[in-house]
Amino acid sequence: MKFTISHLYMVLLSAFILFSCKKNNDKTDIKAELAINNSTASEMQTFENKEPTLTAKEKGMVWIPGGTFFMGTDEKCESMCQIGGLTSDCKVHQVYVDGFWMDEHEVTNAEFEAFVKATGYKTIAEITPTREEFPNALPDMLVAGSVVFSPPKQVQSLNNFYQWWDYIKGANWRHPSGPESNLKGKENYPVIHIAWDDAVAYAKWAGKRLPTEAEWEFAARGGLSAKKFAWGDEFIPNGKYMANTFQGVFPTKDSGSDGFKGIAPIKQYPKNGYGLYDMTGNVWEWCSDWYKNDYFNTLSQNEITKNPQGPTDSYDPTEPGIPKKVHKGGSFLCSDQYCSRYVMGTRGKGDILTGTNHLGFRCVKVVPKK
């Protein structure tokens, strides 16, 4: 199958980039006494906002108090994946976020179906590309579909991601593995094959929005400070799996030691300190921020950045010209053999027009300021 630089032909490449590693100058009026480069883990504390307990509840959401925390990681990004990643991607810096509500779990197939029934919405994966959009496309590529993980029997090298990703005609959120598959019995699984615009459309319908990267990371840490994972520093504490990731030999055989081979239903693992499920593994989650590889380097190391919204545009040196948004959390395909982007502070990225079978989302809702 021939691929060109167009979005239609970059879908598989964008799937690979999931595994690689509006500049906002608004600062808090709190004077930050930072020495990030010399800080020890014990000094990198999270300070939650002290606000009155909210009496109103948002169904299916939990309150995230917001506050000040150290965002990013001092882990070398090159060590996170065998391919790609820049040390500047995840540079530690101090951030403040206001409090907000967040979905306790990823948006499910049942929830997304309710949205589709109410609005008649069609996802990008369900829409056939036109000759006008892609005048140079081969006829067999002008078909609706999406990217699906297809484990090979063997691989020659992990440098060739085409060995385990396929563009499948008819694959979409209703048919996650292809036209012969369906959602029977999977109502409580995260919805997948969702492009960024699809996630935004759902969020608007639900009266919510996508989280910023800073909001997402603050929430994922669950009130913990400088921990490697959402629950602590050990990936499998006392032999107990805390998230749905890949065990076995990547990408040929997932042993399912954590209880699942492939995607899992929501709420199968312990919630974090804020009551959120699956902030690690299962499916990557869209954020509102544009992805720019050196964005963290542009933020002050001497002041606290308040409610950052991300850069004003996107740039990925591995794919110049392809607009991308940030992904967070990793997926069921992450492992220490290939992609350990489930580590707190790391980040993924993806073409805004591309969904895959390990990419979903959750939403947030802010409290109007009086």
Side-chain angles (χ1 to χ4, degrees), residues 154-312:
Q154 60 182 8
V155 294
Q156 296 179 344
S157 169
L158 291 180
N159 292 324
N160 182 9
F161 60 91
Y162 285 104
Q163 296 171 96
W164 56 86
W165 287 106
D166 286 325
Y167 184 79
I168 303 295
K169 177 182 178 181
N172 55 53
W173 75 275
R174 296 180 188 275
H175 306 287
S177 300
E180 303 303 317
S181 61
N182 58 56
L183 299 180
K184 185 176 180 180
K186 296 184 177 180
E187 293 80 5
N188 286 326
Y189 281 64
V191 66
I192 51 178
H193 295 297
I194 300 298
W196 191 80
D197 282 346
D198 303 330
V200 169
Y202 174 92
K204 289 181 178 179
W205 172 79
K208 305 175 184 180
R209 62 169 172 80
L210 295 183
T212 66
E213 182 178 6
E215 289 172 336
W216 195 100
E217 188 171 324
F218 183 93
R221 291 180 180 274
L224 298 179
S225 301
K227 296 299 183 182
K228 193 170 183 178
F229 307 110
W231 51 86
D233 286 324
E234 292 185 46
F235 188 58
I236 311 175
N238 299 317
K240 182 178 182 180
Y241 283 95
M242 304 295 286
N244 181 23
T245 58
F246 196 101
Q247 299 86 52
V249 180
F250 183 87
T252 57
K253 182 177 177 59
D254 183 354
S255 67
S257 298
D258 58 13
F260 296 93
K261 296 180 180 180
I263 195 171
I266 59 169
K267 301 169 71 169
Q268 299 300 301
Y269 300 90
K271 56 189 177 183
N272 77 354
Y274 289 147
L276 298 168
Y277 293 92
D278 297 316
M279 297 300 282
T280 299
N282 212 24
V283 296
W284 284 98
E285 299 182 17
W286 285 110
C287 292
S288 63
D289 303 41
W290 289 109
Y291 172 80
K292 206 167 193 174
N293 65 300
D294 63 350
Y295 172 62
F296 287 3
N297 267 349
T298 69
L299 302 176
S300 173
Q301 299 298 296
N302 299 310
E303 294 182 296
I304 302 171
T305 303
K306 184 178 181 181
N307 294 318
Q309 303 297 303
T312 56

Side-chain angles (χ1 to χ4, degrees), residues 54 57 89 99 143-144 164 190 199 222 253 290 296 326 336 345 348 352-353:
L54 297 179
K57 301 292 184 182
D89 262 8
V143 296
W164 56 86
K253 182 177 177 59
W290 289 109
F296 287 3
V326 171
D336 56 7
I352 59 175
L353 296 181

Side-chain angles (χ1 to χ4, degrees), residues 21-36:
C21 243
K22 166 181 171 186
K23 182 178 179 182
N24 190 321
N25 290 319
D26 185 16
K27 308 292 191 300
T28 64
D29 54 10
I30 304 171
K31 293 295 183 180
E33 298 178 358
L34 300 177
I36 293 176

